[in-house]
Amino acid sequence: MNKLEVNNLNLFYGENHALKNISLPIPAKQVTALIGPSGCGKSTLLRTLNRMNDLVAGVTINGDVLFEGENIYSDIDVKQLRMRVGMVFQKPNPFPMSIYDNVAFGLKAQGEKDQQVIADMVEESLRGAALWDEVKERLHSPALGLSGGQQQRLCIARAIAMQPEVILMDEPTSALDPIATHKIEELMDELRKKFTIVIVTHSMNQAKRISDKTAFFWMGELVEHADTATLFQHPVDSRTRGYVSGEFG
């Protein structure tokens, strides 16, 4: 079953045709990796999945992005969409407040006033992000005092607290050391049991380790999409073969 479906999607930044007739199914409760060289459109596509590109001046989009069968580019509640389709960015971006308040922020913004409900969700979300045991004794300490890897897991906890169905991750480990990267990858393996995950990554090894499906982009085009093992072991397109072999990219 597909959680999201992109159909015949074109995106323009002014005159620049950044995404060209993209069609891509995104299955539920799996990890789909988007790979390709810098500037090929993978992060741009990621941002179309929760309409983050609405915030960019001069963007024109045509085609469909279906979320459980409903076109998100129709007349929908975009705020509600972004609660259901959460996002974790390349650089950890905790708010300048306590660890607890970072996770509770969205719940309070939604109008939740029951302090026990908030406390329970904060703990559940931190546990879900494999961070609770590391921070439970200092929940009211500044989030900016955490390590980079801990900050990124806090951002994941913040996303989980909103109880999304999909989590978009834009190169979530590119700023992290190998140990922190390993922890995030282990976390993604657990998160896929509950959430649909779409990740942009420059690391082909990471895509091979963590994803069920991989889509390869080249100059705004979706060149190839397959089960991850198939795409890396038996790529069909010569551009895919060159990229996964390290010949170019």
Side-chain angles (χ1 to χ4, degrees):
M1 175 184 173
N2 294 325
K3 192 70 172 178
L4 290 153
E5 291 185 27
V6 180
N7 294 322
N8 305 312
L9 184 77
N10 290 274
L11 182 145
F12 298 82
Y13 291 120
E15 298 297 317
N16 176 29
H17 195 176
L19 292 176
K20 303 171 184 175
N21 201 38
I22 306 297
S23 292
L24 177 67
I26 298 172
K29 295 185 180 178
Q30 292 189 22
V31 177
T32 298
L34 311 182
I35 66 169
S38 296
C40 67
K42 52 192 186 295
S43 290
T44 298
L45 178 65
L46 193 75
R47 291 192 297 269
T48 68
L49 301 180
N50 67 348
R51 290 186 53 169
M52 289 294 288
N53 281 314
D54 288 12
L55 306 175
V56 181
V59 168
T60 303
I61 296 172
N62 58 66
D64 297 333
V65 178
L66 304 181
F67 178 32
E68 296 191 331
E70 180 181 12
N71 184 12
I72 69 171
Y73 284 91
S74 63
D75 184 18
I76 66 163
D77 184 334
V78 176
K79 182 179 177 181
Q80 187 68 28
L81 170 70
R82 290 178 185 150
M83 286 192 291
R84 297 177 68 193
V85 183
M87 193 159 193
V88 176
F89 295 92
Q90 179 176 358
K91 185 178 179 181
N93 60 340
F95 302 142
M97 53 182 65
S98 72
I99 295 166
Y100 184 97
D101 286 339
N102 262 269
V103 183
F105 183 87
L107 297 169
K108 293 178 179 178
Q110 281 186 302
E112 181 60 64
K113 298 188 184 330
D114 188 316
Q115 295 304 310
Q116 189 58 53
V117 169
I118 293 172
D120 289 346
M121 183 55 71
V122 168
E123 178 175 347
E124 180 182 332
S125 301
L126 288 168
R127 286 187 184 279
L131 191 58
W132 174 255
D133 288 341
E134 296 172 42
V135 302
K136 62 185 178 183
E137 303 300 331
R138 48 177 176 146
L139 290 176
H140 299 288
S141 299
L144 295 176
L146 297 173
S147 70
Q150 289 173 324
Q151 287 185 18
Q152 192 65 298
R153 281 183 284 149
L154 178 64
C155 293
I156 293 171
R158 193 172 66 198
I160 290 172
M162 302 306 293
Q163 298 182 297
E165 298 164 54
V166 179
I167 301 177
L168 310 177
M169 297 186 171
D170 193 358
E171 298 190 62
T173 64
S174 64
L176 305 181
D177 61 47
I179 294 173
T181 294
H182 179 66
K183 287 185 176 181
I184 296 289
E185 290 180 0
E186 285 187 327
L187 174 56
M188 280 190 277
D189 196 43
E190 284 298 310
L191 291 176
R192 85 176 80 207
K193 298 173 184 176
K194 186 174 181 181
F195 305 100
T196 301
I197 298 174
V198 187
I199 179 172
V200 168
T201 178
H202 270 106
S203 168
M204 289 180 287
N205 286 330
Q206 182 172 74
K208 284 189 280 189
R209 286 192 299 266
I210 62 151
S211 68
D212 303 284
K213 306 282 186 183
T214 297
F216 171 63
F217 288 79
W218 182 265
M219 297 182 67
E221 297 180 16
L222 174 57
V223 172
E224 195 164 343
H225 170 244
D227 290 342
T228 295
T230 300
L231 186 139
F232 280 97
Q233 294 172 16
H234 307 289
V236 174
D237 191 278
S238 60
R239 290 167 292 182
T240 313
R241 289 196 296 272
Y243 187 76
V244 302
S245 70
E247 180 182 337
F248 54 80

